[in-house]
Amino acid sequence: MHLSNSFIFLLLIFFILEAPITQAQGKSTLVSAIFAFGDSTADPGNNNYIKTPSRSNFSPYGRDFPNHVATGRFTNGMLIYDFIAKHVGVKESVPPYLDQSLSTEELKTGVSFASGGSGFDPLTPKISNVISISKQLENFKEYKEKMEAAIGKEQTQNLIKEALFIVSAGTVDFVVNYNTLPIRRINYTTSAYTDFLLQHVDQFLQEIMDQGARKIAVANLLPMGCLPFVITLNSDISNAITKRDCIDSQSSIAQDYNFKLQNMLNDMQIRFAKLGSRIAYMDIYTPLVDMILGRKYDFENVNRGCCGTGSVELAFLCNPLSFVCPNASKYVFWDSIHPTEKAYYLVSQALQPTIDSITKY
């Protein structure tokens, strides 16, 4: 009995000593909510509530989402920022702000203001009549007013101060706007257009900091030359149909933008450090290149989407009548622009150290 009592006593001491450590570790990440701004990479369904052809709230989109629901996400399941929301412990998935059925508690832990087809160039959202970045900011200000009415001004300020802000856009500006319409190409070289976009990024980031944002992560551009849609439009017949190699000239535009974006964010971090701001550069480009060119994750198809022919289909062209591959996890891309849930998940895993760098104490 004496030995047994001693053993129990030692166990109690161990758990008493261990408990504070575990609790401290659990609180090492302090994120109150997650807010997303940008394009289809961050839109969970805001476009469902506006008049636009840029929608995905129908089959086969959402095929692998819980309950097989087509939420308006431009993929077969979750987005990168759904996985990040789960990683930082605020919620399982990020809902669209325009969903009027959201409760105060759901709003409190964060929403996405992003709109598929939007971009930093004010002209870009006009092409498909989607929500501009400036309007997304207005919606965030409206959100703040709602929260102040529900939980008070001080609690709302604290909520925003401890929230994670995600900004993800730019690809549509190049792929749909600059490379398709003549307007910007007449007035801007590619390098000048890159600088033009980055001026808008800088302005937007300063505006959300003025609204109280302090933990901010900004995504770089995808390897645009490897998007199935871009390969199709920029290839001769033999490459478009058979080889489907990435278009290096398009990916080099993304690389130049990403290099300038990273430098700009580093400068902003220095400029606004006195505010307690933490501004991070999220590298989406590299893990996707690893999947597509490095074949790092053993995807069977890296240059076509799972939906339809995989070469041009997206939005309403990927619809209930489309052929769909049996297993999307073997594909990097779901449609001709957007990655699959598996690709998004792998990118989110690669981004975790970056997210932790601005959210952990």
Side-chain angles (χ1 to χ4, degrees):
M1 287 296 294
H2 177 70
L3 181 61
S4 177
N5 288 340
S6 298
F7 179 70
I8 292 171
F9 177 76
L10 288 172
L11 278 177
L12 286 171
I13 292 295
F14 171 79
F15 284 119
I16 290 170
L17 290 173
E18 185 69 15
I21 297 172
T22 305
Q23 186 178 23
Q25 288 174 339
K27 291 187 177 180
S28 62
T29 299
L30 183 58
V31 178
S32 59
I34 182 168
F35 300 109
F37 302 82
D39 58 21
S40 57
T41 55
D43 181 6
N46 282 307
N47 282 10
N48 300 350
Y49 304 94
I50 61 175
K51 292 182 179 179
T52 175
S54 182
R55 288 193 181 193
S56 59
N57 57 335
F58 44 79
S59 174
Y61 287 99
R63 186 182 71 176
D64 301 304
F65 198 81
N67 298 320
H68 313 291
V69 178
T71 60
R73 288 168 171 83
F74 287 81
T75 186
N76 59 306
M78 299 282 195
L79 299 171
I80 294 171
Y81 310 113
D82 293 316
F83 293 118
I84 288 178
K86 188 173 183 178
H87 171 67
V88 298
V90 292
K91 60 207 317 172
E92 292 293 312
S93 60
V94 184
Y97 171 67
L98 295 185
D99 181 355
Q100 297 300 309
S101 70
L102 297 177
S103 66
T104 299
E105 286 305 307
E106 187 73 71
L107 289 168
K108 192 175 178 181
T109 51
V111 290
S112 173
F113 301 90
S115 178
S118 195
F120 294 116
D121 183 342
L123 176 61
T124 301
K126 294 179 181 179
I127 297 169
S128 52
N129 193 39
V130 296
I131 307 166
S132 66
I133 297 290
S134 59
K135 177 60 177 175
Q136 292 177 33
L137 180 64
E138 288 180 28
N139 287 343
F140 175 68
K141 292 176 182 177
E142 179 185 89
Y143 166 88
K144 280 180 63 179
E145 292 175 359
K146 288 181 180 179
M147 294 311 298
E148 286 175 1
I151 63 175
K153 190 168 185 177
E154 185 176 349
Q155 282 194 52
T156 300
Q157 288 175 341
N158 290 334
L159 175 97
I160 291 167
K161 180 183 177 183
E162 299 300 341
L164 172 62
F165 285 73
I166 299 285
V167 182
S168 180
T171 298
V172 185
D173 291 310
F174 282 105
V175 172
V176 178
N177 187 345
Y178 187 82
N179 289 334
T180 305
L181 303 179
I183 299 171
R184 293 308 191 197
R185 280 184 286 124
I186 291 172
N187 297 311
Y188 294 92
T189 64
T190 305
S191 180
Y193 188 65
T194 294
D195 294 338
F196 169 76
L197 292 181
L198 290 172
Q199 289 172 4
H200 284 277
V201 177
D202 186 289
Q203 179 183 344
F204 178 73
L205 295 180
Q206 291 191 54
E207 288 173 340
I208 61 172
M209 281 190 279
D210 288 343
Q211 294 300 314
R214 291 297 177 264
K215 301 171 183 179
I216 305 168
V218 185
N220 64 5
L221 293 187
L222 287 69
M224 296 188 299
C226 296
L227 301 178
F229 183 81
V230 173
I231 293 173
T232 302
L233 290 189
N234 293 272
S235 297
D236 57 31
I237 294 176
S238 62
N239 187 56
I241 295 176
T242 56
K243 293 188 294 184
R244 298 194 61 78
D245 294 329
C246 294
I247 309 299
D248 292 341
S249 61
Q250 294 298 312
S251 290
S252 68
I253 294 172
Q255 289 174 329
D256 179 57
Y257 175 96
N258 293 345
F259 176 76
K260 290 180 176 179
L261 173 66
Q262 188 169 22
N263 287 338
M264 187 192 83
L265 295 178
N266 288 338
D267 290 342
M268 290 192 79
Q269 175 60 60
I270 295 169
R271 279 161 49 204
F272 296 104
K274 61 185 177 183
L275 297 178
S277 298
R278 298 181 180 188
I279 304 170
Y281 170 80
M282 290 194 302
D283 183 10
I284 293 173
Y285 185 101
T286 301
L288 280 172
V289 165
D290 287 343
M291 296 175 210
I292 298 164
L293 299 181
R295 300 294 181 111
K296 186 175 179 180
Y297 299 100
D298 298 323
F299 285 97
E300 291 182 6
N301 194 307
V302 300
N303 53 25
R304 290 184 186 273
C306 171
C307 184
T309 65
S311 57
V312 294
E313 293 87 352
L314 71 153
F316 60 87
L317 293 178
C318 174
N319 57 60
L321 299 178
S322 301
F323 166 81
V324 186
C325 69
N327 186 355
S329 67
K330 295 180 179 180
Y331 283 65
V332 172
F333 293 98
W334 168 249
D335 59 21
S336 66
I337 291 283
H338 305 99
T340 57
E341 179 185 69
K342 181 180 178 182
Y344 276 145
Y345 170 75
L346 293 170
V347 172
S348 75
Q349 292 290 105
L351 291 176
Q352 284 184 7
T354 300
I355 298 301
D356 291 346
S357 73
I358 60 172
T359 59
K360 287 194 172 183
Y361 291 87

